[in-house]
Amino acid sequence: MEYKKPLGVDIDLETGVIPGAQKLVRRLSSLKGYFLDEKAYNELLREDPVVYEVYAIEQEENDGDLNFATTVLYPGKVGKEFFFTKGHSHAKADRAEIYYGIRGKGGMLLQTPEGKAEWIPMGPGTVVYVPPYWAHRTVNTGNEPFIFLAVYPADAGHDYGSIAEKGFSKIVIEENGEVKVVNNPRWKK
């Protein structure tokens, strides 16, 4: 048997960067159609800010292997809606995932295929278990970058298409200075 070599990396806990990792940058322009307030989206699109960055260490898609990544989700809003990640289900829907809050303030919006939603606030030290079959998205509800670590099976894959098509049944907004989770009027069952 040939054994895979163990791996150790340092995560910069201030910036969320994993040196040597694959870097993905998502700007506002890559989230067209995701936010409710289209007018506010189009106004902010002139600047096309970076919404989040992902630093991933990925393995081959073998049974038993794990991938891990940090995400730096920047503060901001489109209208009342806080900046968020695209959100996804796993291509192999029976795969779970773990998230660990490193810095900042935010939360995890989770949803079953039928649209039952759960909101879990996150901060430094918060661990969120994403069960199989639940779509999930992170949201920055603070004023600084929200940084977290995700660990997931290497063969899980990502299904972004379902979220792009249907959205989430809930959205996370700021109203009167408070974080609120409200029904998404554009959600498609």
Side-chain angles (χ1 to χ4, degrees), residues 14 16 46 48 54 62 75-76 95-96 108 110 138 145 147 150 159 166 169 171 182 185 187:
E14 288 298 311
R46 292 182 197 134
D48 199 16
V54 179
N62 295 323
R95 301 302 195 253
M108 174 80 64
L110 302 103
T138 47
I147 301 171
D159 173 7
K166 293 173 61 171
S169 63
I171 58 174
V182 299
W187 184 67

Side-chain angles (χ1 to χ4, degrees), residues 57-79:
I57 302 290
E58 296 186 331
Q59 310 300 316
E60 292 179 22
E61 292 184 18
N62 295 323
D63 287 346
D65 266 338
L66 296 172
N67 290 338
F68 60 94
T70 54
T71 298
V72 181
L73 178 53
Y74 292 99
K77 290 192 295 265
V78 174

Side-chain angles (χ1 to χ4, degrees), residues 128-159:
V128 175
Y129 168 68
V130 179
Y133 304 100
W134 285 74
H136 43 289
R137 151 183 294 164
T138 47
V139 181
N140 184 338
T141 59
N143 297 317
E144 66 176 319
F146 174 38
I147 301 171
F148 52 88
L149 171 73
V151 181
Y152 51 98
D155 66 349
H158 294 89
D159 173 7

Side-chain angles (χ1 to χ4, degrees), residues 75-86:
K77 290 192 295 265
V78 174
K80 292 181 174 184
E81 208 169 348
F82 291 103
F83 277 6
F84 53 68
T85 58
K86 273 188 165 185

